[in-house]
Amino acid sequence: MKTKMSDILKGKFLISDGAFQNWTFIVFCAVLAIIMIASSHSAEQKTFRVAELNQQLRELRSEFVDIRKDVMQKKMESNVAEQMKERSIGISNQPPFKIIVKSKD
């Protein structure tokens, strides 16, 4: 047991007769490690991108609500009447009437 551990620590398994199998396994493990690192890096980038897009979405929703509130206030009849007073246009005292067009058949 002690000799096997010392052989492993000294690296004799890399230069012995069956070393080719050991090297292929080591290269295989290294390739898997590289693939795993690349995959986690890609997933992390996607996570950051999703967080960034969520932040932009919250900002755009907030802006939409603010603009919708402003539009609702500006189209209220009282605000429109006040703005038209500046141009000497007032609210009509007479109700609107319908114009009916009869076709010639």
Side-chain angles (χ1 to χ4, degrees):
M1 175 87 173
K2 188 175 184 182
T3 58
K4 288 183 182 180
M5 276 303 254
S6 67
D7 286 347
I8 291 173
L9 291 175
K10 289 178 183 177
K12 289 189 178 183
F13 68 97
L14 296 175
I15 56 172
S16 64
D17 293 335
F20 181 73
Q21 290 178 345
N22 295 337
W23 278 106
T24 55
F25 182 71
I26 290 171
V27 169
F28 175 72
C29 288
V31 168
L32 283 180
I34 290 171
I35 290 172
M36 187 177 76
I37 290 169
S39 175
S40 69
H41 182 67
S42 173
E44 189 174 313
Q45 283 182 335
K46 288 178 183 177
T47 303
F48 284 136
R49 179 75 176 139
V50 166
E52 180 182 316
L53 289 173
N54 281 333
Q55 178 64 28
Q56 288 178 358
L57 180 64
R58 282 191 293 267
E59 290 174 5
L60 289 173
R61 279 186 185 158
S62 174
E63 183 180 347
F64 168 72
V65 169
D66 288 343
I67 290 173
R68 185 172 59 179
K69 181 187 74 158
D70 290 342
V71 168
M72 293 294 274
Q73 287 178 350
K74 287 181 181 180
K75 73 178 191 177
M76 288 174 57
E77 186 179 351
S78 59
N79 288 339
V80 172
E82 184 143 340
Q83 289 176 357
M84 291 297 113
K85 273 186 187 174
E86 296 171 1
R87 297 181 182 182
S88 302
I89 299 174
I91 297 175
S92 176
N93 294 332
Q94 299 174 353
F97 56 91
K98 248 187 198 180
I99 300 175
I100 300 174
V101 177
K102 295 182 182 178
S103 63
K104 295 180 183 179
D105 287 335

